[in-house]
Amino acid sequence: MYLIAGLGNPGKQYERTRHNMGFDTIDELVDRHRIPGSGVQHKAMYGKGMIAGEKVILAKPLTYMNLSGDSIREFINYYKMDPETELIVIYDDIDLEPGQIRIKKKGSAGGHNGMKSIISQIGTQNFYRVKVGVGEKPAGWDLADYVLGRFSTKEREEVDKAIEEAADAVEVILREGIDAAMNKYNAKKKQ
């Protein structure tokens, strides 16, 4: 079984913000695979189902971004999962342009507070990630204001395509493995 966790912040005021790329990608996977909601458990909204022949739990932690690790740790402990092979985290990345995605097997938090929380709580940085680009913050902007802001109409079109591509990438990870997904999606350059 895989835990696929999309990072974001709960509440209407955060919907469709840059920081909610993980939530948006989970919503895409839920719609695409008709994953029924199972309610709230382990500080997350979640659903269980099948994707690409694999049992999955799709989770949106309700802890707010900076405490995402609390929820993910609870899932991993409860279901006795190996985070190094059974956890996929989807989140926003300011180092990628809007519309780009990047798949990684492991790595540091890279300054992302949600990822810092997860690494701290589960005790490893060796887990799969799907990053969705939101673009670099403009000079003079506060980072929190930027990531909690919304996209321009043009950027939103590109980001919506990237969310679909991130969902595709999760399917490839489940069906063919992380290396296949990295080869397919990391080689792509924005046109």
Side-chain angles (χ1 to χ4, degrees), residues 74-139:
E74 286 188 22
F75 274 105
I76 286 170
N77 290 345
Y78 184 83
Y79 290 99
K80 297 177 176 43
M81 298 173 128
D82 178 356
E84 297 194 1
T85 58
E86 297 173 320
L87 172 62
I88 302 169
V89 179
I90 309 162
Y91 63 102
D92 60 290
D93 190 326
I94 62 171
D95 294 327
L96 297 173
E97 289 300 310
Q100 289 186 312
I101 69 166
R102 175 110 353 104
I103 318 300
K104 291 189 77 174
K105 282 185 187 180
K106 60 185 177 183
S108 71
H112 192 286
N113 288 334
M115 294 302 284
K116 284 180 191 171
S117 172
I118 294 167
I119 290 166
S120 167
Q121 288 289 332
I122 68 172
T124 183
Q125 55 185 15
N126 300 334
F127 55 89
Y128 304 158
R129 301 115 191 271
V130 177
K131 303 176 179 193
V132 182
V134 297
E136 190 176 3
K137 79 172 180 69

Side-chain angles (χ1 to χ4, degrees), residues 37-181:
S38 298
V40 175
Q41 189 178 45
H42 307 299
K43 302 177 186 143
M45 287 176 44
Y46 79 104
K48 293 180 181 177
M50 297 287 286
I51 298 176
E54 296 286 348
K55 287 183 184 174
V56 298
I57 299 170
L58 300 181
K60 295 183 350 184
L62 299 174
T63 54
Y64 292 91
M65 182 63 78
N66 295 356
L67 298 174
S68 298
D70 293 357
S71 171
I72 289 171
R73 177 184 39 78
E74 286 188 22
F75 274 105
I76 286 170
N77 290 345
Y78 184 83
Y79 290 99
K80 297 177 176 43
M81 298 173 128
D82 178 356
E84 297 194 1
T85 58
E86 297 173 320
L87 172 62
I88 302 169
V89 179
I90 309 162
Y91 63 102
D92 60 290
D93 190 326
I94 62 171
D95 294 327
L96 297 173
E97 289 300 310
Q100 289 186 312
I101 69 166
R102 175 110 353 104
I103 318 300
K104 291 189 77 174
K105 282 185 187 180
K106 60 185 177 183
S108 71
H112 192 286
N113 288 334
M115 294 302 284
K116 284 180 191 171
S117 172
I118 294 167
I119 290 166
S120 167
Q121 288 289 332
I122 68 172
T124 183
Q125 55 185 15
N126 300 334
F127 55 89
Y128 304 158
R129 301 115 191 271
V130 177
K131 303 176 179 193
V132 182
V134 297
E136 190 176 3
K137 79 172 180 69
W141 277 58
D142 176 71
L143 182 59
D145 289 342
Y146 179 71
V147 295
L148 295 177
R150 289 181 171 74
F151 296 97
S152 70
T153 304
K154 181 180 182 305
E155 284 176 330
R156 189 72 223 188
E157 289 170 12
E158 293 190 14
V159 166
D160 285 342
K161 287 182 200 152
I163 289 166
E164 290 179 16
E165 197 170 48
D168 294 344
V170 168
E171 293 166 1
V172 172
I173 292 169
L174 296 173
R175 194 172 42 248
E176 302 171 41
I178 187 76
D179 291 327

